[in-house]
Amino acid sequence: MKDQSRREFFKTAGCLTIGFSLSQLPLAAAMLPTQELPGNLRDYADIDAWLQVLADGSIRVFTGKLELGQGIRTAVAQVAAEELDMDLSKVTVTLAETDVTPNEAYTAGSMSVESSAMSIRYAAAAARQRLLEMAAVRLKVPAADLHMDNGTVISGNQQRLSFAEILDGKQLSGEIKMPVALKPKDQYRISGTSVHRDDVALMVKGAPLYVQDLRFPGMLHARVIRPAAYDAKLQHFDEQAVRAKVPGLLQVVVNGSFLAVIAKVEYEAMQAQQVLAAHTEWSAGTPLAGADDLPAYLATVPVQTESVREKGAKLTAPATHQASYFKPYIMHGATGPSCAVALFDKGQLFVWTHSQGVYPLRAALAEMLQLPAEQIRVKGVPGSGCYGHNGADDVAAEAALLAMAVPGKHVRLQWSRQEEHGWEPYGSAMLMNIAAKLDKDGHITHWQYGLRSDSHGNRPGGKAANLLPARYLEKAFKNDRSGSYSGGAYRNAEPYYNIPNQQVDAHFFKGPLRVSSLRSLGAFGNVFAIESFMDELAEQAGKAPFAFRLAHLEDERAVAVVKKLQELLTKATGTGGARLSEAGTSGAATGTGIGIAFARYKNNGAYCAAAAQVHVDQSGETPLIRVEKMWAVVDAGEIINPDGIKNQTEGGMVQAASWTLLEQVTYNTQHVTSVDWYGYSIFKFNQAPAVEVALINRPAEKPLGAGEAVQGPAAAAIANAVYKASGKRIRHLPITAEQLKG
């Protein structure tokens, strides 16, 4: 990646901006079935907030979302190119950048396509109509007689005007108002087709792509010396000791209990960090509870209770079946540890970051640094990262603090693997207790669900207290988790089945470890529990897993994905495979088993049915568990890029398999102990199963985000398959050989 200057940071020159209000629409245009502007168009109703026509006639699109591997850069380019009849090669995308792109808050919740891409679709459609109207005046023909072709407007008698000629150097602006004419979907040629992401080739080649690859002339390097525990305080450090051993050390920065070093060379910064850490004393900090038996501890820790759903009568009679499930703390485990670059120059702070929310981060930095927000510029750069709130915001805040200590110099701060594993916010541990009653026909009449969880959302959100370094400053910001997102814990806690009597309660605790958002939030644990329990109830009722679920589903789209999964299994495995997937009434071990599961993400998002084929070898002293193949069927409404949805679903299945069989954060009374890939195991390449994804396209329905739909169903499918294969029902994650032996 070439060196970047401050000028390039905000360089968007050489463009013509367009915007307007619509009055007349062609009869053939598709109309939005709602009277509201989609997504963030309600906040940014000017077309110049979303796209620009450049001087050469190409299109620059602005999205407030960051590319995390979900393919948003490709999807938004597709919808813009489609509405403007452009070749995809003539559409470029500018990702999240304060004062350049719209403030779309966070890239989270599988909302990138549903909000940002749809906003850009309507902005592009509005731009199309205005360009046609302007061309009609110039060519003296009706707008209905014109069509577009790759940056050119063409009349029936082949008169042509380029976009640049139509605009004639002018900049147009105005408000987009409903209704907006969309291109009829039966005329689509780009949207709805598979377009491969162009960044994948760069990843494979190891080309400069990520924030970790950024380099600037004269850039300095920094490292932070971490406390011994979350709330440990700095007691003493020996600066002379480190200066004697690391001549390249430029500066030691200390502010309260925040301690860091800056050097000219990265290796010298690493050396200084190690030496100074050995010559620093910290207070002991508050001991962490629950390390020896986390499930037992979480069952007794004080909670605040919130009723999530009460429907019909409560379960008072003895339950037909009840069970408890557990999910441990899990981490993002980003392949590339968090990194950021910052520059403080002439009163302006510039930050390059892979944060998933550049505007909320800017607001939090403003509070922490006591700088006006307008003096802070935050540019999103893809990172080798993850879905969720990892260390990206924290490292950006630390880099900003250090840049202010050496004005006029770019400062790069790279976390180590141990820092990433030990200090990032984790996905909360959870306990789920379920009881249900069946009638004589095997239908669920009563359902009682109680979950225990910490928050699943402590992103910066404009609050300095949610930034790690802010807690250690001399004027520290106390993090009491007030204002954290409680709804993430009970995401998908309500079963998506027809059950007349339901009671769902969420019990919130403040656990020992730092927590925040991780892909799918509480849906992973909740769906794992619910769909495992559905298999157990099916066995109690003497029903096959597919038939039992279908008997409790009313939504036709839910029924469709479950039936499509059934077809896939029959085709892929034959009648023997079909018997494996339908087996389970006896609990007999077969060695190989197929388990299934279903959920609709957030109960209002994408539908997903998943299956897993698992082999359990119990012939040796230690049982061996292998996920051989996984299937998923996804209905995400209208599909913009089939390849993108398949990519996310395939990756989601493999990630969920790793969570289910291997991953858990460990800690002692002082701090986290799983600080490398030995202490925190993830799937290796040779453990990844074969995967197959089928999509149900519904062009008449609105697009739904699919990036987090498969995690919960995948985990439950594996647990159900392990039961089929081994005859042992494992309800505590991860599913280990030790549990199968016990």
Side-chain angles (χ1 to χ4, degrees), residues 220-233:
L220 304 179
H221 297 266
R223 287 293 190 275
V224 175
I225 290 77
R226 301 290 168 190
Y230 278 134
D231 61 351
K233 303 297 182 184

Side-chain angles (χ1 to χ4, degrees), residues 104-231:
E104 296 192 84
Y106 287 105
T107 307
S110 297
M111 293 296 294
S112 294
V113 167
E114 194 170 337
S115 61
S116 191
M118 291 304 97
S119 295
I120 289 167
R121 169 179 280 177
Y122 285 88
R128 172 191 179 90
Q129 184 63 28
R130 179 58 174 162
L131 286 166
L132 291 174
E133 290 174 351
M134 294 175 69
V137 173
R138 293 279 299 275
L139 297 174
K140 299 180 180 179
V141 299
D145 293 343
L146 300 175
H147 69 276
M148 286 183 173
D149 183 16
N150 201 27
T152 302
V153 174
I154 306 170
S155 69
N157 60 6
Q158 296 303 301
Q159 297 181 81
R160 294 170 177 264
L161 284 175
S162 70
F163 287 175
E165 289 173 323
I166 295 170
L167 294 169
D168 193 24
K170 297 177 183 177
Q171 293 189 4
L172 303 177
S173 62
E175 183 183 0
I176 303 172
K177 295 180 180 180
M178 293 299 294
V180 174
L182 295 178
K183 185 177 182 180
K185 293 183 180 180
D186 59 5
Q187 296 180 19
Y188 281 0
R189 59 184 182 86
I190 299 174
S191 186
T193 65
S194 287
V195 175
H196 296 308
R197 288 165 42 200
D198 56 12
D199 57 347
V200 174
L202 298 175
M203 295 178 195
V204 173
K205 295 175 184 177
L209 175 68
Y210 298 123
V211 67
Q212 286 90 346
D213 300 316
L214 281 176
R215 296 295 183 272
F216 296 87
M219 183 172 70
L220 304 179
H221 297 266
R223 287 293 190 275
V224 175
I225 290 77
R226 301 290 168 190
Y230 278 134
D231 61 351

Side-chain angles (χ1 to χ4, degrees), residues 623 625 660-662 664 730 732 734-741:
I625 309 169
T660 304
L661 295 182
L662 292 178
Q664 60 179 328
I730 308 299
H732 281 209
I735 299 172
T736 63
E738 287 72 20
Q739 291 189 79
L740 289 176
K741 287 172 62 178

Side-chain angles (χ1 to χ4, degrees), residues 224-555:
V224 175
I225 290 77
R226 301 290 168 190
Y230 278 134
D231 61 351
K233 303 297 182 184
L234 180 61
Q235 302 291 306
H236 172 75
F237 67 94
D238 187 346
E239 182 174 343
Q240 293 307 312
V242 67
R243 289 196 177 278
K245 293 186 177 182
V246 186
L249 174 65
L250 293 178
Q251 191 165 337
V252 173
V253 178
V254 59
N255 184 335
S257 292
F258 176 75
L259 181 64
V261 293
I262 301 175
K264 287 185 178 181
V265 181
E266 184 172 20
Y267 179 64
E268 291 176 336
M270 296 169 63
Q271 284 183 306
Q273 179 192 40
Q274 293 175 0
V275 174
L276 189 53
H279 290 82
T280 300
E281 297 176 7
W282 301 90
S283 65
T286 305
L288 300 178
D292 294 334
D293 190 344
L294 185 58
Y297 170 72
L298 296 184
T300 60
V301 69
V303 297
Q304 289 186 333
T305 297
E306 181 176 339
S307 176
V308 178
R309 181 169 176 77
E310 287 189 13
K311 174 187 175 183
K314 292 184 178 181
L315 176 59
T316 55
T320 303
H321 186 57
Q322 56 188 5
S324 297
Y325 303 84
F326 170 72
K327 167 200 164 292
Y329 289 103
I330 54 178
M331 66 175 63
H332 300 85
T335 305
S338 296
C339 180
V341 179
L343 168 70
F344 185 67
D345 191 29
K346 298 180 176 65
Q348 294 286 316
L349 175 65
F350 301 86
V351 180
W352 290 260
T353 173
H354 57 119
S355 167
Q356 293 178 207
V358 293
Y359 280 96
L361 173 59
R362 181 175 73 168
L365 290 174
E367 182 183 17
M368 183 184 78
L369 302 171
Q370 295 298 291
L371 272 179
E374 58 268 21
Q375 292 178 217
I376 303 174
R377 304 290 184 264
V378 181
K379 179 178 176 61
V381 183
S384 175
C386 60
Y387 295 96
H389 176 198
N390 67 341
D393 296 286
D394 300 323
V395 74
E398 291 170 342
L401 278 165
L402 296 172
M404 294 185 72
V406 283
K409 290 288 188 179
H410 290 84
V411 176
R412 179 180 183 272
L413 177 59
Q414 170 79 62
W415 279 13
S416 67
R417 171 57 51 201
Q418 289 71 27
E419 289 174 284
E420 185 76 24
H421 275 28
W423 290 92
E424 67 148 88
Y426 310 112
S428 177
M430 297 173 66
L431 283 175
M432 293 74 66
N433 298 302
I434 317 179
K437 187 176 181 181
L438 299 172
D439 64 17
K440 59 182 179 61
D441 297 319
H443 289 94
I444 307 172
T445 61
H446 293 76
W447 181 278
Q448 183 175 291
Y449 187 89
L451 71 98
R452 284 175 169 253
S453 178
D454 205 328
S455 168
H456 287 257
N458 287 291
R459 294 179 184 271
K463 296 175 61 176
N466 286 347
L467 296 171
L468 184 64
R471 307 177 188 187
Y472 300 103
L473 301 179
E474 184 176 356
K475 294 183 179 179
F477 293 82
K478 183 179 179 181
N479 185 280
D480 58 5
R481 304 187 194 177
S482 61
S484 60
Y485 177 47
S486 61
Y490 53 79
R491 181 169 292 179
N492 279 98
E494 300 176 54
Y496 199 72
Y497 294 104
N498 180 24
I499 304 171
N501 304 290
Q502 297 182 39
Q503 181 180 356
V504 179
D505 295 313
H507 309 286
F508 295 98
F509 58 76
K510 292 184 179 180
L513 302 186
R514 186 184 183 209
V515 293
S516 191
S517 306
L518 189 147
R519 192 178 191 181
S520 81
L521 281 68
F524 174 70
N526 288 322
V527 175
F528 158 68
I530 290 170
E531 287 297 297
S532 294
F533 195 71
M534 286 295 288
D535 252 38
E536 296 182 49
L537 284 178
E539 186 170 359
Q540 291 278 330
K543 307 283 188 181
F546 273 115
F548 186 71
R549 286 171 173 81
L550 289 170
H552 289 87
L553 286 172
E554 292 183 325
D555 187 332

